[in-house]
Amino acid sequence: MKLLLLTKRMLIRAGGKTSLAVIALAAGTGTLTASGILHNVLTHVPGAIILENMILIMGLSSLLMGSIFVFFIMFNMFIDRREIIGVLKTIGYPNKFILHLFVLQGALLGFAGSLIGVVFGSNFVISLIFGWRIYIGAFPFSREYPYTAWSGFIFIIGLLLPTLLSYYVAMKAAEIPIVTALSHVPIFYEMSWKFLSSFNKYRYYALRRILRNPILYILLFLISLITMLSTTLTTTFSIVCLTNLPYYRQLLIYIISRAGIIISFIIVFTGSAGYYAIWKSENVRRKMEISVMKTIGWTNKDIIKITLYELLFIVFAPYLISTVLSISALIFIYKITNITILLISFTVATSIAAFLLVLSLLVIFSTVKKSVIENLKILEMELLAEFR
Amino acid sequence: MSIIELIDIYKKYNSKYILKSINLTIDKGDFVVITGPSGAGKTTLLNIISGIDKPTKGEVIVAGHRLSKMSENELTFFRRHYIGFVFQFFYLVPELTVIENVELALDLIYPESERIYVIERKIGVRTIKYRTYERAVKVLELVGLGPEYYNRFPDQLSGGEQQRVAIARAIANNPQILIADEPTGNLDVRTSQKISEIFHKINKELGKTLVVVTHDLNILRYANKVYQLENGTLRKGVFER
């Protein structure tokens, strides 16, 4: 059977996106594993719960983001390989083969990510990097905190979450009728909603775009939400720790200045890179539309207005949600009423939102700026490259 | 002896009948061409013959099997052994080489346990070849692709070469019926001439039954029965030898 060969080659072809997913997964599982050590170190320190929460939030959000990437990769694979799925079924491959093909890919990504994460977040490696002061022991079962069991649990979560998400896609792929797979009908049929007609044309067009490909926009929404929320919370917590808890300053500076900042940096990096990758792949389809619209007589301003309405959903809405959530969490759960700290969290969220906004507008500007013929030429080349 | 028999076929799609009362009998060794305007239901008819789609009403008997009474799994098994399908857009798996693409159809027929290993000893290099490999080479030779093509990927081939690989994949499992949906629709005249010659060869030398949807005169030349599908009804074409 060609199952393993196909799995391997398809993953290699997906390339950059797969490595991004693995990095995000590894960062998530690594942070969560390392949080076990932190728990062990901080058990006798009062008030350390904030620091632990911070690390947990970072780890969980990174893990979630990695799983969403895996889902996106598998979903993209399904859309791109629709005809191939149809052909495999026509030749006589059972639905099970296609199910296995997709689940195996998701599971392999999950396995690689969580293995790297658990190894790098392990007691041994962390002590190797940060000093043997926090080394718990080679066989830490007997300790008060079951560190090995914790890492095993994290490994299983990191493996299961992407696998389950890709299982969902695989089921969709396996059950698709051959006729649908081979016809060039879009998988999401356009919805005609009556209330849309009351909108102005920019808003209407933006909403139609979102509804035509809802999964993609929901993914973008989730990615920007997770990036903003987690980074805002972690940075604020680290500042709270640094300013309000001076008597174990040494340990806190020690951990925040190394692991915390590196990992929140990874979250911002993977989040914005994933956002950029998805937005860019959407933009290939947009090129054709922009060329047609410009030929008909729409101006550049009109096109950018439509894009701004879309960004309202995928950048501005997550920004609002994350600011409100993080500030209310700070005030009501952790009882922090220091204006400077609240302002800092607000600034962090705003800067990330601005960064994502600039990133997505840059892509659009680069397309809009070019002439119709230039765009069509690029589109042709990109489509040819995809069609290979 | 008839190999394909369609009795009073109706197909409804989006509350509109695409096929109305189709009766068609195809004998073993026939080269049948179906023509007609786009949207007439040619592809739907092919899908029904090959067991990809099911008719709303009517009886389909292919190689002695009643397709309308078969389950999904049985249909998969039926397609694996009786049908070869060639598409307009080739649909080769881009991640697999030419030989692997052809082997794709063979892996299902030769189960792991029944494969014969052919071990070639070169100087210091040992290559293991499966029975599927031998068969794939044989089929690729038939469509006129030499050993220099075996390890290329589909994106390194021209349209005509890709379609030849697709034909090789379709006839690799030695099906009784070869079905082709506009096989030359994406090719230039000269290439489609070669492709139609390959179809003729498959029909004459291997004795396969061919059902082809096409407007290509090159293929029409070799056909011994021509039908025209219009407004969902089938009638004998003007072109017949």
Side-chain angles (χ1 to χ4, degrees):
Chain A
M1 287 284 196
K2 294 267 181 282
L3 184 64
L4 289 174
L5 189 72
L6 257 177
T7 311
K8 196 182 87 189
R9 297 237 178 106
M10 276 168 104
L11 280 180
I12 289 170
R13 196 165 266 244
K17 275 183 237 154
T18 27
S19 50
L20 210 65
V22 170
I23 288 173
L25 275 176
T29 45
T31 319
L32 285 175
T33 318
S35 79
I37 303 168
L38 196 68
H39 186 88
N40 251 338
V41 174
L42 293 182
T43 30
H44 308 299
V45 183
I49 189 84
I50 288 183
L51 196 70
E52 274 195 61
N53 279 352
M54 181 189 101
I55 300 279
L56 270 178
I57 287 170
M58 285 199 299
L60 271 178
S61 56
S62 197
L63 183 64
L64 217 66
M65 204 136 71
S67 311
I68 290 174
F69 277 153
V70 173
F71 178 74
F72 172 71
I73 291 165
M74 295 332 294
F75 195 79
N76 231 17
M77 200 88 88
F78 165 44
I79 300 283
D80 286 354
R81 298 277 180 278
R82 231 165 90 208
E83 289 91 358
I84 301 300
I85 292 167
V87 167
L88 284 176
K89 283 186 172 188
T90 312
I91 292 174
Y93 277 88
N95 291 359
K96 243 189 198 165
F97 179 83
I98 287 140
L99 191 86
H100 289 171
L101 186 66
F102 276 77
V103 172
L104 204 62
Q105 288 181 43
L108 270 178
L109 288 182
F111 182 77
S114 42
L115 190 71
I116 293 170
V118 168
V119 166
F120 272 88
S122 72
N123 196 0
F124 184 75
V125 175
I126 291 283
S127 325
L128 207 65
I129 298 169
F130 296 113
W132 293 96
R133 199 150 58 105
I134 48 175
Y135 187 63
I136 301 167
F139 196 71
F141 275 116
S142 53
R143 287 266 164 174
E144 51 207 69
Y145 193 74
Y147 174 70
T148 310
W150 171 249
S151 347
F153 174 69
I154 294 303
F155 178 78
I156 288 167
I157 293 282
L159 178 65
L160 270 188
L161 206 61
T163 312
L164 282 179
L165 284 176
S166 56
Y167 183 79
Y168 172 75
V169 179
M171 251 170 38
K172 289 268 170 233
E175 280 166 8
I176 188 172
I178 302 171
V179 179
T180 322
L182 289 177
S183 66
H184 299 273
V185 183
I187 292 202
F188 297 105
Y189 294 100
E190 286 206 25
M191 289 181 253
S192 54
W193 287 13
K194 260 189 183 170
F195 78 89
L196 286 183
S197 52
S198 62
F199 285 6
N200 70 29
K201 65 176 175 182
Y202 307 117
R203 237 184 292 175
Y204 174 78
Y205 194 76
L207 245 166
R208 281 304 278 266
R209 283 191 66 86
I210 291 168
L211 289 177
R212 197 173 57 199
N213 204 346
I215 293 275
L216 194 129
Y217 281 90
I218 287 169
L219 277 177
L220 285 172
F221 175 86
L222 280 178
I223 285 174
S224 42
L225 181 67
I226 289 171
T227 312
M228 284 176 212
L229 199 61
S230 64
T231 328
T232 314
L233 282 177
T234 46
T235 39
T236 339
F237 282 149
S238 50
I239 289 160
V240 169
C241 289
L242 278 171
T243 48
N244 287 15
L245 309 166
Y247 48 93
Y248 29 84
R249 197 174 197 130
Q250 228 186 340
L251 180 67
L252 290 170
I253 289 173
Y254 176 71
I255 290 159
I256 292 160
S257 65
R258 300 219 172 114
I261 287 170
I262 290 170
I263 288 158
S264 60
F265 197 76
I266 287 177
I267 291 176
V268 173
F269 169 73
T270 47
S272 47
Y275 178 90
Y276 184 74
I278 297 175
W279 183 255
K280 195 106 199 248
S281 77
E282 157 70 10
N283 201 50
V284 174
R285 276 163 232 152
R286 196 187 295 258
K287 259 174 199 156
M288 169 78 156
E289 280 177 37
I290 287 178
S291 310
V292 171
M293 283 161 86
K294 276 171 107 174
T295 329
I296 294 169
W298 289 54
T299 58
N300 293 350
K301 220 173 157 187
D302 294 331
I303 293 161
I304 286 165
K305 260 188 190 169
I306 292 166
T307 320
L308 282 177
Y309 273 113
E310 281 170 53
L311 291 176
L312 216 64
F313 175 64
I314 55 175
V315 175
F316 194 67
Y319 165 65
L320 269 186
I321 292 170
S322 63
T323 350
V324 168
L325 268 184
S326 56
I327 285 179
S328 55
L330 284 179
I331 293 172
F332 295 115
I333 300 174
Y334 297 105
K335 313 280 184 221
I336 295 162
T337 43
N338 191 340
I339 297 282
T340 342
I341 286 170
L342 295 182
L343 261 179
I344 286 170
S345 84
F346 181 72
T347 326
V348 170
T350 314
S351 55
I352 293 171
F355 180 60
L356 289 182
L357 203 72
V358 167
L359 212 62
S360 34
L361 278 179
L362 270 180
V363 176
I364 291 298
F365 274 131
S366 69
T367 319
V368 167
K369 210 174 59 192
K370 289 186 185 101
S371 70
V372 175
I373 296 167
E374 230 176 320
N375 255 334
L376 283 179
K377 241 180 212 168
I378 294 167
L379 178 79
E380 208 171 75
M381 278 161 66
E382 273 172 8
L383 283 182
L384 273 177
E386 269 192 9
F387 192 67
R388 284 187 310 180
Chain B
M1 191 195 135
S2 69
I3 190 162
I4 297 170
E5 217 171 323
L6 303 183
I7 305 162
D8 206 23
I9 292 289
Y10 284 84
K11 179 69 187 174
K12 202 177 186 179
Y13 189 74
N14 282 350
S15 71
K16 194 187 150 201
Y17 279 103
I18 294 185
L19 299 177
K20 294 171 220 154
S21 182
I22 302 259
N23 288 295
L24 178 66
T25 313
I26 295 169
D27 292 335
K28 205 168 183 182
D30 271 357
F31 193 143
V32 178
V33 164
I34 300 169
T35 62
S38 56
K42 292 168 298 193
T43 305
T44 312
L45 188 62
L46 285 193
N47 287 346
I48 285 171
I49 292 173
S50 56
I52 289 173
D53 210 350
K54 278 189 175 180
T56 316
K57 211 176 92 186
E59 195 75 63
V60 188
I61 303 164
V62 181
H65 297 274
R66 279 172 192 271
L67 297 196
S68 36
K69 291 229 171 73
M70 281 160 92
S71 70
E72 196 68 34
N73 281 343
E74 286 169 334
L75 278 174
T76 307
F77 192 78
F78 164 79
R79 280 198 302 272
R80 193 185 292 177
H81 289 279
Y82 289 93
I83 302 285
F85 211 117
V86 180
F87 301 92
Q88 182 182 354
F89 298 105
F90 327 133
Y91 293 148
L92 300 177
V93 182
E95 284 90 1
L96 299 181
T97 60
V98 167
I99 200 104
E100 285 162 350
N101 258 297
V102 180
E103 278 181 323
L104 204 59
L106 292 162
D107 284 338
L108 290 163
I109 309 173
Y110 300 122
E112 212 90 23
S113 56
E114 283 180 23
R115 284 191 204 165
I116 297 168
Y117 294 87
V118 180
I119 299 172
E120 273 187 4
R121 278 188 185 280
K122 290 178 187 169
I123 311 157
V125 187
R126 199 182 69 169
T127 50
I128 298 168
K129 284 176 182 172
Y130 298 99
R131 201 162 122 196
T132 52
Y133 186 89
E134 284 183 345
R135 172 74 186 156
V137 167
K138 211 172 170 184
V139 178
L140 280 171
E141 268 169 13
L142 191 91
V143 295
L145 291 177
E148 67 271 23
Y149 289 98
Y150 293 170
N151 290 322
R152 288 196 201 171
F153 284 93
D155 52 0
Q156 296 164 323
L157 301 177
S158 71
E161 285 158 359
Q162 283 191 44
Q163 190 60 297
R164 284 191 210 186
V165 179
I167 293 170
R169 183 178 65 185
I171 58 170
N173 56 349
N174 204 9
Q176 294 185 23
I177 302 154
L178 182 66
I179 288 171
D181 190 357
E182 307 231 13
T184 55
N186 245 15
L187 304 172
D188 60 272
V189 181
R190 195 173 268 197
T191 318
S192 65
Q193 169 71 34
K194 280 178 192 159
I195 295 290
S196 58
E197 273 162 18
I198 291 171
F199 277 126
H200 182 60
K201 203 166 143 191
I202 290 166
N203 179 236
K204 276 275 151 337
E205 288 180 13
L206 303 181
K208 308 279 180 224
T209 312
L210 264 70
V211 185
V212 184
V213 159
T214 189
H215 295 112
D216 195 338
L217 283 174
N218 283 320
I219 297 180
L220 265 159
R221 228 168 28 161
Y222 295 118
N224 63 352
K225 276 184 191 168
V226 177
Y227 291 97
Q228 197 165 15
L229 193 65
E230 211 165 327
N231 294 328
T233 49
L234 200 64
R235 60 187 176 84
K236 278 234 157 163
V238 274
F239 189 96
E240 193 163 359
R241 274 205 305 201

